[in-house]
Amino acid sequence: MYTHTIQKWQHEHNFTNHNHQGERRAYYVLILTVITMVIEIAAGTIYGSMALLADGWHMGTHAVAFLITIFAYQYARKHANDESLAFGAGKASVLGGFSSAIALGLVAMIMLGESIHRLMSPQEIQFNEAILVAVLGLSVNIISVFLLKDDHHHHDHDHDDHNMKAAYFHVLADALTSVLAIFALVAGKYWGWNWVDALMGIVGSVIITRWAFGLIKQTSPILLDASIYPEYQEKIINTLEMENDNKVSDVHIWKISADHYAAIISLVANDPKTVDYYKQLLTKFDKISHITIEVNHFTETGQIANERT
């Protein structure tokens, strides 16, 4: 009868760092965003301001992005120990950030197209009313930025929460378009530069596109299981090969969440040590949260044995 326990050799697969405070604040920002969106779209339509209308629709897409943010948090919490997910739900926040980045890019394209149309076909703007609503929108955006700012920067020091980073970029984008809308409306009212209203929509779309592209660059390699940077991998190989006659024959190191890496390493030696011995050599590499090592015994006739853990 088998009486031994295998607990020593079992691995932890929950690599989710749930941001409870971030989830709660995302709810608050969602409510503020939806209310302001309705006001700005209605006011932009009534008063004829493209910058104000663009800001309203922009906030509408951000409301969808915040729903993605909240869903990603809830999914990660619910499936943190789901055995059907090989390495847990650690990438849920990364996927949320990537999806929100796509939403940012769509916002930018919509803004660009509508702004060019308004630049070619100017419309009459009721400046006083539009400025008042734009200031209201900016006030809400500033509140939202401060709600997410502390949490976003705090988690930057501990780990990468791409979901929260995406939400933070969305409220920054809202604040930017509000500032541009106010500038455009003031320029149109006092100097007669009605074309600035459409131009600011174009400028805003370019800046938002840059933010979206930057977030996509950060999240897509994680979703595609990109390898850890070469210098770090080389240090791991050198550490293993410095001992006796070890040779690393195969190595894979990739992110399994926003801030956790997994590694699968195969090595061969004429006089191999135990797996625990090789794991001990790698304890200084604290980026690796989950490691599997295959040890092969090499002779003149080839591989005759291997050990994995």
Side-chain angles (χ1 to χ4, degrees), residues 18 35 68 86 120 126 174 181 211 224 228 256 288 293 308:
H18 190 73
I35 293 173
I68 293 173
M120 304 299 294
Q126 300 179 41
D174 277 336
W211 289 346
L224 292 172
I228 198 170
I256 49 178
I288 311 299
I293 297 180
R308 294 184 181 89

Side-chain angles (χ1 to χ4, degrees), residues 36 43 80 106 111 114 145 153 159 185 208 211 240 244 267 302:
T36 309
L106 291 174
M111 286 177 61
E114 188 62 27
V145 166
H153 287 292
H159 62 87
L185 291 167
I208 294 167
W211 289 346
L240 291 171
N244 302 322
L267 59 87

Side-chain angles (χ1 to χ4, degrees), residues 61-301:
T61 56
H62 288 341
V64 175
F66 288 126
L67 287 173
I68 293 173
T69 297
I70 293 168
F71 172 79
Y73 281 134
Q74 292 180 342
Y75 184 90
R77 184 175 64 250
K78 181 179 179 181
H79 296 275
N81 297 298
D82 190 340
E83 294 183 358
S84 68
L85 302 174
F87 289 101
K91 289 187 179 181
S93 68
V94 182
L95 181 59
F98 179 84
S99 301
S100 293
I102 298 297
L104 270 176
L106 291 174
V107 167
M109 286 192 290
I110 293 171
M111 286 177 61
L112 178 63
E114 188 62 27
S115 296
I116 292 175
H117 173 72
R118 289 293 183 93
L119 192 61
M120 304 299 294
S121 304
Q123 295 188 9
E124 182 181 352
I125 301 173
Q126 300 179 41
F127 292 106
N128 292 333
E129 294 85 350
I131 291 173
L132 180 63
V133 176
V135 170
L136 171 64
L138 178 59
S139 301
V140 171
N141 292 330
I142 292 173
I143 294 172
S144 299
V145 166
F146 277 99
L147 276 173
L148 299 180
K149 178 183 178 182
D150 292 339
D151 191 76
H152 162 66
H153 287 292
H154 170 74
H155 282 273
D156 269 354
H157 294 297
D158 297 331
H159 62 87
D160 295 321
D161 187 346
H162 294 96
N163 204 30
M164 179 51 59
K165 184 178 291 186
Y168 185 67
F169 279 164
H170 276 283
V171 296
L172 280 181
D174 277 336
L176 171 67
T177 52
S178 292
V179 169
L180 294 178
I182 293 171
F183 174 77
L185 291 167
V186 169
K189 176 181 178 180
Y190 291 103
W191 301 308
W193 298 351
N194 290 20
W195 52 270
V196 175
D197 184 72
L199 181 62
M200 289 301 99
I202 296 174
V203 172
S205 69
V206 172
I207 296 174
I208 294 167
T209 298
R210 287 194 60 187
W211 289 346
F213 184 69
L215 191 54
I216 288 173
K217 284 182 64 177
Q218 291 178 23
T219 54
S220 55
I222 301 174
L223 296 174
L224 292 172
D225 293 334
S227 297
I228 198 170
Y229 48 92
E231 294 82 3
Y232 197 87
Q233 180 169 302
E234 190 65 27
K235 288 179 181 178
I236 290 177
I237 294 174
N238 290 339
T239 297
L240 291 171
E241 292 188 343
M242 283 174 60
E243 295 289 323
N244 302 322
D245 60 347
N246 302 324
K247 291 294 180 183
V248 174
S249 57
D250 194 37
V251 57
H252 301 278
I253 305 173
W254 73 102
K255 271 193 171 183
I256 49 178
S257 73
D259 56 327
H260 293 276
Y261 286 87
I264 298 176
I265 301 172
S266 297
L267 59 87
V268 59
N270 286 319
D271 184 22
K273 307 293 185 182
T274 65
V275 167
D276 285 341
Y277 173 81
Y278 294 112
K279 279 193 169 183
Q280 187 62 33
L281 293 177
L282 301 179
T283 54
K284 65 180 180 180
F285 296 98
D286 55 3
K287 290 183 180 294
I288 311 299
S289 303
H290 187 288
I291 185 168
T292 301
I293 297 180
E294 177 186 74
V295 181
N296 298 291
H297 183 190
F298 186 81
T299 65
E300 291 183 0
T301 59

